[in-house]
């Protein structure tokens, strides 16, 4: 991943001692890209090491065993780990609302009906994205329960995008469709005609909003003073970067950050920017864009998982109560609130020139 060498380059460029944050992610979100490329982490004394997670199982093992300080993963995973598996994972903020989520297929498949009898590749058949897929396919009468299609476990979106474009898995198995996210939805559309995947449906046309990427930690980090302080600085940098990203005044600079981070053309980066700042499905947390979890968005996640039998809690389980933020709860805003207070005291500005310097 190029982000790692860029972090190293920024480390070399800065004489000050930086504190290391081990960050696990499925993909370089636009907010992370802005923070990384425009110096929002180094400005706050942080060396953020980007760890590319291979799949949600490995990612949650790494957050729970202390290998990562923080993870961004779709919040449905946290619902599953906390409520089904009694694992103490804590969500400290919402990053996006289902970033450009689409059901995408190989070029020869042009409608959802043609997926009948086919495998659909996923990260995990028990993940939030798989439940969203079930919801979308059901709009065309295709259900997993009737064996109208089946899931094949492949891994995170980078692997699935590559498999979709090649129309095959590395072992040669044919691939037909999957769910794509930012930045792959746009990258796919930028491929040559005949090579570009088809978008069969937008998830936001079927259900919206859905809370998706969320900042996730292990609960024990909250009572560890040093870890808590480190997470607060990380969140202050991400908060500053997200404000920067969503400010139209800084659009050209944000697009440059995406060009550098994603290694795409300026034209593609401009489309990625539009996708990441989309008010419904982008890296937003309305109305304040302060990383608050949308209660409607997370309840949609709960209801879809529930609809397809994805919870093992008793039928009487009170999700509304379980989703109220607080100490020891699934959602805890203490770090986020401290980060915003820190930002208000010491605003981080970022540096557009820096991103150009980092690239040799
Ligand atoms: C997840 O990734 C790990 C590490 O690469 C791998 O060992 C494991 O088999 C993967 N699990 C799934 C369910 O794909
Ligand atoms: C989760 O945290 C609670 C309260 O601190 C504790 O009692 C419980 O043992 C923890 N569960 C796990 C699986 O670590
Ligand atoms: C190829 O990999 C997929 C996903 O792991 C698996 O379901 C399939 O059985 C494999 N096919 C062969 C021929 O090994
Ligand atoms: C931005 O970065 C450039 C290149 O490293 C540096 O010369 C300049 O002083 C920085 N500006 C600010 C405001 O930090």
């Amino acid at each position: 991943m190029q982000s790692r060498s860029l972090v190293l380059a920024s480390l070399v460029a800065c004489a000050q001692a930086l504190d290391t944050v081990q960050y696990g992610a499925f993909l370089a979100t636009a907010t992370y890209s802005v923070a990384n490329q425009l110096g929002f982490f180094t400005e706050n004394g942080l060396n953020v090491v980007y760890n590319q997670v291979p799949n949600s199982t490995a990612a949650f093992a790494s957050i729970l065993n202390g290998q990562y300080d923080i993870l961004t993963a779709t919040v449905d995973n946290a619902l599953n780990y906390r409520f089904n598996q009694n694992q103490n994972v804590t969500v400290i903020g919402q990053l996006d609302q289902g970033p450009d989520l689409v059901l995408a297929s190989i070029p020869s498949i042009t409608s959802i009906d043609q997926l009948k009898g086919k495998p659909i590749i996923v990260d995990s058949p028990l993940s939030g994205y798989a439940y969203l897929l079930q919801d979308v396919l059901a709009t065309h009468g295709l259900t997993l329960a009737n064996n109208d299609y089946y899931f094949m476990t492949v891994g995170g979106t980078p692997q699935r995008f590559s498999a979709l474009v090649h129309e095959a898995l590395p072992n040669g198995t044919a691939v037909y469709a999957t769910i794509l996210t930012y930045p792959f939805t746009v990258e796919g559309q930028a491929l040559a005609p005949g090579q570009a995947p088809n978008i069969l449906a937008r998830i936001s046309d079927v259900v919206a909003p859905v809370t998706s990427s969320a900042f996730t930690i292990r609960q024990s980090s909250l009572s560890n003073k040093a870890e808590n302080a480190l997470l607060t600085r990380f969140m202050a940098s991400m908060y500053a970067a997200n404000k920067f990203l969503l400010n139209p005044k800084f659009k050209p600079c944000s697009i440059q950050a995406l060009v550098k981070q994603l290694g795409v053309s300026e034209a593609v980066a401009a489309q990625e920017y539009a996708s990441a700042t989309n008010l419904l499905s982008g890296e937003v947390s309305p109305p304040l864009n302060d990383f608050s979890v949308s209660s409607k968005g997370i309840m949609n996640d709960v209801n879809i998982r529930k609809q397809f039998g994805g919870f093992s809690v008793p039928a009487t389980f009170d999700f509304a109560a379980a989703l109220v933020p607080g100490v020891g709860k699934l959602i805890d805003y203490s770090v986020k609130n401290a980060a915003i207070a820190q930002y208000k005291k010491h605003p981080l500005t970022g540096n557009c020139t820096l991103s150009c310097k980092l690239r040799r």
Side-chain angles (χ1 to χ4, degrees):
M1 191 88 197
Q2 84 196 93
S3 55
R4 194 161 300 171
S5 60
L6 291 173
V7 166
L8 276 178
S10 67
L11 199 64
V12 171
C14 284
Q16 77 188 114
L18 301 174
D19 296 318
T20 299
V21 175
Q22 294 294 341
Y23 171 49
F26 283 83
L27 54 98
T29 60
T31 300
Y32 164 79
S33 302
V34 164
N36 183 42
Q37 297 294 339
L38 306 183
F40 284 94
F41 292 132
T42 44
E43 194 179 347
N44 212 2
L46 297 176
N47 166 35
V48 173
V49 179
Y50 180 101
N51 294 280
Q52 179 63 53
V53 306
N55 55 56
S56 50
T57 315
F60 274 75
S62 295
I63 195 67
L64 286 166
N65 72 17
Q67 196 187 332
Y68 299 160
D69 296 299
I70 187 159
L71 167 74
T72 43
T74 192
V75 78
D76 176 86
N77 286 310
L79 295 171
N80 181 28
Y81 276 80
R82 165 95 38 175
F83 300 139
N84 286 335
Q85 302 179 34
N86 281 316
Q87 295 286 351
N88 289 330
V89 296
T90 304
V91 167
I92 62 173
Q94 164 178 308
L95 176 58
D96 63 46
Q97 296 198 145
D100 230 353
L101 289 173
V102 295
L103 167 56
S105 68
I106 59 171
S108 59
I109 299 237
T110 55
S111 84
I112 290 180
D113 309 274
Q114 286 172 276
L115 292 176
K116 201 169 165 115
K118 300 281 195 294
I120 296 180
I121 60 170
V122 291
D123 169 31
S124 153
L126 303 177
S127 76
Y129 287 171
Y131 290 111
L132 287 173
L133 283 173
Q134 288 197 58
D135 202 38
V136 169
L137 287 153
T139 63
H140 282 242
L142 300 187
T143 69
L144 199 58
N146 282 348
N147 296 314
D148 292 323
Y149 59 92
Y150 57 101
F151 285 136
M152 193 176 271
T153 303
V154 167
T157 316
Q159 292 100 299
R160 298 199 314 279
F161 178 64
S162 165
L164 189 70
V165 170
H166 291 106
E167 304 192 21
L169 297 179
N171 72 7
T173 299
V175 162
Y176 301 93
T178 193
I179 192 167
L180 292 182
T181 65
Y182 172 97
F184 302 103
T185 303
V186 164
E187 278 180 37
Q189 296 311 287
L191 294 174
Q195 228 196 326
N198 282 322
I199 293 178
L200 300 180
R202 285 200 166 268
I203 308 304
S204 58
D205 290 341
V206 179
V207 52
V210 290
T211 295
S212 189
S213 310
F215 297 102
T216 309
I217 61 169
R218 56 191 165 279
Q219 187 175 299
S220 59
S221 295
L222 292 169
S223 46
N224 176 328
K225 226 172 149 186
E227 182 72 7
N228 195 314
L230 192 70
L231 291 171
T232 302
R233 280 156 69 200
F234 175 86
M235 289 300 280
S237 292
M238 289 295 262
Y239 176 74
N242 186 252
K243 269 179 104 65
F244 189 99
L245 174 75
L246 299 178
N247 188 337
K249 200 167 80 184
F250 302 134
K251 179 175 171 178
C253 186
S254 290
I255 290 176
Q256 281 316 310
L258 300 185
V259 165
K260 300 260 152 67
Q261 184 73 48
L262 301 172
V264 296
S265 70
E266 213 163 303
V268 171
Q271 287 176 284
E272 298 287 15
Y273 176 83
S275 149
T277 57
N278 182 294
L279 294 179
L280 180 64
S281 60
E283 296 178 24
V284 295
S285 45
L288 298 177
N289 290 323
D290 63 348
F291 294 153
S292 288
V293 177
S294 159
S295 31
K296 200 167 165 211
I298 196 165
M299 203 40 107
N300 277 335
D301 293 321
V302 164
N303 287 335
I304 288 170
R305 178 175 271 276
K306 224 185 197 170
Q307 183 185 337
F308 297 104
F311 283 115
S312 52
V313 293
T316 53
F317 186 81
D318 187 348
F319 281 101
L323 295 176
V324 172
V327 176
K329 305 290 291 288
L330 171 73
I331 303 172
D332 183 319
Y333 287 145
S334 56
V335 169
K336 158 183 111 59
N337 291 344
I340 294 172
Q342 188 178 89
Y343 169 85
K344 287 189 170 150
K345 245 175 146 175
H346 305 286
L348 302 162
T349 57
N351 182 345
C352 259
T353 329
L354 191 61
S355 75
C356 311
K357 282 258 158 150
L358 287 181
R359 194 90 170 174
R360 300 283 141 94

